[in-house]
Amino acid sequence: MSMIKTVGIVGTGVIGASWTGLFLARGLRVVVSDPASDSKQKLDSYLKKIWPDLKKIGLAQGASLDNCQFVGASLKDHYSKVDFIQENAPEKLEIKTKLLAEIDAAARSDVVIASSSSGLPSSKFIGKCTNNPGRILIGHPFNPPHLMPLVEVVPHPKTDKASVDTAVEFYKSLNKEPVVIKKEIPGFASNRLQAALCSEAYSLVSRGILSAEDLDTCITNSLGPRYALTGPFMSNAMGGGGGADGFKHFVEHLGPAMQTWLDDMREHTFKLDKESLDSLSASVVQELEGKDVQALEAERDRLLVEIMRLKGEGK
């Protein structure tokens, strides 16, 4: 059982606030800091908004919004209280470098420091950490963290194995699905996969092959539901008949055709210029016409709760 009882949250933007809700729902105490003047009010409002969804998922014993303590711009007087730190500062190298140096200098030496960085490897911003940089790593969630199970744990070359193990155990205790990225790489894994898909989606729409709305329909009615249950490798293996040779058979059968598709995709890689962006944006604006995005977001989260519940029952 995890010995982590109190978590320090640094930064309460979209990701930090969502992490806070998850930690509270799992019965933890959370000490929160953010320098923005209105951050406490925004955090309180967000936590009240997502708490009903967290209740549906299931609250741990003792879970309460009252277990959240907002302490102002910094954790400076509260580092001794926390057993794990989740940093959520903006994705700017200079900000993270300064902030991680402060956290590393002040936090107890046994406390793992996890950054929610979505693309910057931690080796890029630990240069001024002189206390114990071996306990620093990436703990990158998929948005929103209080609903999406994935956490990418990415150590830098000098991260202690014990810190990786602690982070993995802790995230598992939250009912998350942590994966360890064995080597640092910009963007890690999930965001690189997303970038590859989005690049081709942007290319198809900007070239006039189909509309943004129809492109979204393609994903939500094919790859999306399938990949929610069986990722690309397992799906390919099933498509190849299953069994020990299913994946190999699938690739041998479709490989030549896929190669021609990939060649065409490389020839038409999306390039961010004004003409392409204008064409792309116009199609997205058309898709959004008459839609209430906040209502769509709420419906998305409601259905995500149901999907995660059903997947949990199937294990």
Side-chain angles (χ1 to χ4, degrees):
M1 184 173 179
S2 174
M3 298 303 293
I4 296 168
K5 305 299 181 186
T6 303
V7 180
I9 287 280
V10 179
T12 61
V14 173
I15 300 299
S18 182
W19 270 127
T20 301
L22 174 68
F23 295 147
L24 292 170
R26 301 317 304 159
L28 298 166
R29 297 193 63 81
V30 187
V31 182
V32 184
S33 68
D34 192 294
S37 59
D38 60 348
S39 53
K40 184 180 186 305
Q41 291 76 16
K42 286 185 175 180
L43 175 63
D44 290 345
S45 176
Y46 182 80
L47 291 175
K48 290 175 183 176
K49 172 186 169 185
I50 67 173
W51 201 247
D53 283 338
L54 290 166
K55 281 184 176 180
K56 291 176 186 176
I57 296 170
L59 301 179
Q61 185 175 2
S64 171
L65 290 176
D66 293 336
N67 289 333
C68 181
Q69 180 186 9
F70 186 88
V71 298
S74 170
L75 293 179
K76 62 181 180 180
D77 298 322
H78 302 270
Y79 281 109
S80 63
K81 300 178 183 178
V82 301
D83 308 312
F84 188 94
I85 294 173
Q86 190 76 41
E87 172 269 313
N88 312 280
E91 202 86 348
K92 295 183 178 180
L93 193 57
E94 63 277 11
I95 292 176
K96 284 193 180 290
T97 300
K98 180 179 179 181
L99 182 58
L100 266 293
E102 173 198 315
I103 297 172
D104 176 56
R108 298 195 321 260
S109 60
D110 62 317
V111 173
V112 171
I113 303 168
S115 173
S116 296
S117 170
S118 60
L120 281 174
S122 58
S123 61
K124 299 291 186 182
F125 51 77
I126 60 169
K128 294 185 178 180
C129 296
T130 57
N131 182 15
N132 183 15
R135 43 68 179 276
I136 298 172
L137 46 73
I138 299 297
H140 171 238
F142 218 64
N143 190 34
H146 69 280
L147 297 181
M148 302 300 284
L150 180 69
V151 184
E152 293 176 313
V153 176
V154 192
H156 60 76
K158 295 183 179 180
T159 300
D160 301 327
K161 182 180 184 301
S163 296
V164 176
D165 293 342
T166 295
V168 169
E169 177 191 355
F170 175 56
Y171 291 132
K172 283 183 177 178
S173 76
L174 305 173
N175 296 327
K176 305 294 278 183
E177 293 281 354
V179 296
V180 177
I181 307 299
K182 297 176 182 178
K183 296 181 180 180
E184 282 193 320
I185 186 171
F188 319 131
S190 57
N191 274 343
R192 288 174 71 100
L193 292 169
Q194 180 173 242
L197 177 61
C198 284
S199 176
E200 177 60 10
Y202 296 166
S203 174
L204 290 171
V205 174
S206 66
R207 292 167 60 198
I209 306 298
L210 76 174
S211 68
E213 185 169 12
D214 285 346
L215 189 288
D216 280 347
T217 297
C218 285
I219 298 299
T220 57
N221 289 276
S222 63
L223 295 179
R226 178 190 291 172
Y227 283 178
L229 303 172
T230 56
F233 284 105
M234 186 63 72
S235 295
N236 289 171
M238 291 177 175
D245 294 325
F247 175 74
K248 185 178 180 182
H249 175 72
F250 177 89
V251 175
E252 288 177 340
H253 180 65
L254 280 183
M258 289 174 63
Q259 188 61 56
T260 64
W261 307 339
L262 290 169
D263 290 344
D264 185 72
M265 288 163 64
R266 292 188 185 99
E267 185 179 344
H268 296 94
T269 299
F270 178 75
K271 293 180 174 59
L272 185 58
D273 55 47
K274 186 178 185 305
E275 183 179 355
S276 295
L277 183 57
D278 286 348
S279 172
L280 197 60
S281 296
S283 192
V284 175
V285 167
Q286 187 175 9
E287 180 181 8
L288 291 171
E289 192 173 325
K291 293 182 174 67
D292 182 336
V293 176
Q294 288 188 331
L296 289 173
E297 183 179 295
E299 179 66 1
R300 177 205 66 186
D301 289 353
R302 183 187 71 79
L303 291 172
L304 278 175
V305 169
E306 288 301 307
I307 291 170
M308 295 305 133
R309 181 183 63 78
L310 289 169
K311 286 187 67 175
E313 290 178 356
K315 288 183 178 179

